[in-house]
Structures are given as structure tokens and as C-alpha cells.
């Protein structure tokens, strides 16, 4: 069992920055470093979409085209925490952001993730 808790959301003006955190509690025989963690987001009236992901070892990252160059995902396995640094935010980044975990490599398909947090709201005003 892996429990995830997001934090760091809020209201920010366009062009601003936010850093989200995803803290994990792992109650399996697998170490946290074995779990890929992804960030997804869901805007009102839209499907949930993949934002980015990082492999458990931290040596591989994948980003959606819409956030490349603006968002950076990182992790601290000692703290069992994954971060999402979001810069140059745009109103279209407004969404509930979720972190999710799976044992294995990064995948953009949310159906492949077994564990989910409750989400944190990010609102970008124009």
C-alpha cells in the first residue's frame, strides 16, 4: 500500500510560480525508490491528463508538451517526496493536480497507476 498526499497548491497570477509536493507513505516490501511517480491534472469539464513523471531512481523524466520548459519534476527518496516546480504559469494550467505512483517505468496512461493522492487545486489568474 502506498499513500500519497499533495500539498502546495494555491492561487497565483499568470507568469508566477508554485511548487507542489507529493509525500508518500509506503507500506509494501518495495522501497519508494522503486515507484515511478507521475503528476496528472484535471481542469473543470476536461479529462484528467498526464503532466509529467519521474522514475523511482530519478534518472528518467517525461513531460507533456504543454509543460516542457516550464515545469520540473524531481524527487528526494530519502524524504519519500516528489516535487513539481511550476514556472511561467498560465491560466490554462488551472486544474486539480494529482500525484500517482506505479511500480515500474514512467507511463502517461493514468490507468497504469495504482496509487493516487486526493489532489491539490492550482488556480492561475490572468
Amino acid at each position: 500500500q502506498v499513500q500519497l498526499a499533495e500539498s502546495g497548491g494555491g492561487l497565483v497570477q499568470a507568469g508566477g510560480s508554485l511548487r507542489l509536493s507529493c509525500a508518500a507513505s509506503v507500506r509494501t516490501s518495495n522501497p519508494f525508490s522503486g515507484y515511478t511517480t507521475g503528476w496528472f491534472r484535471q481542469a473543470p469539464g476536461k479529462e484528467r491528463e498526464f503532466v509529467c513523471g519521474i522514475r523511482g531512481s530519478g534518472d528518467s523524466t517525461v513531460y507533456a508538451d504543454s509543460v516542457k520548459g516550464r515545469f520540473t519534476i524531481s524527487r528526494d527518496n530519502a524524504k519519500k517526496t516528489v516535487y513539481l516546480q511550476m514556472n511561467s504559469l498560465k491560466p490554462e494550467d488551472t486544474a486539480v493536480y494529482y500525484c500517482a505512483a506505479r511500480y515500474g517505468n514512467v507511463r502517461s496512461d493514468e490507468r497504469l497507476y495504482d496509487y493516487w493522492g486526493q489532489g491539490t487545486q492550482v488556480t492561475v489568474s490572468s
Side-chain angles (χ1 to χ4, degrees):
Q1 181 74 11
V2 177
Q3 293 181 315
L4 303 171
E6 304 92 338
S7 61
L11 173 65
V12 64
Q13 288 189 331
S17 298
L18 279 176
R19 188 175 84 154
L20 306 184
S21 298
C22 173
S25 173
V26 180
R27 293 186 176 87
T28 73
S29 58
N30 302 314
F32 179 63
S33 60
Y35 289 90
T36 279
T37 304
W39 285 97
F40 292 77
R41 66 186 181 186
Q42 187 168 23
K46 294 189 176 182
E47 298 285 318
R48 188 157 55 187
E49 64 176 359
F50 174 78
V51 176
C52 58
I54 185 168
R55 206 160 67 168
S57 59
D59 62 350
S60 178
T61 57
V62 178
Y63 293 91
D65 288 343
S66 59
V67 306
K68 277 181 184 175
R70 300 188 298 122
F71 290 11
T72 303
I73 188 171
S74 62
R75 65 191 293 151
D76 184 336
N77 285 337
K79 294 182 178 179
K80 296 185 178 62
T81 301
V82 176
Y83 304 99
L84 179 62
Q85 178 66 43
M86 305 185 294
N87 298 328
S88 302
L89 282 161
K90 306 175 182 180
E92 50 263 44
D93 294 318
T94 295
V96 177
Y97 283 71
Y98 300 88
C99 65
R102 67 183 302 271
Y103 197 76
N105 289 325
V106 179
R107 294 289 186 266
S108 60
D109 186 343
E110 65 173 86
R111 296 171 297 179
L112 298 177
Y113 286 78
D114 300 305
Y115 307 103
W116 291 83
Q118 294 299 306
T120 186
Q121 176 71 47
V122 171
T123 303
V124 185
S125 63
S126 57

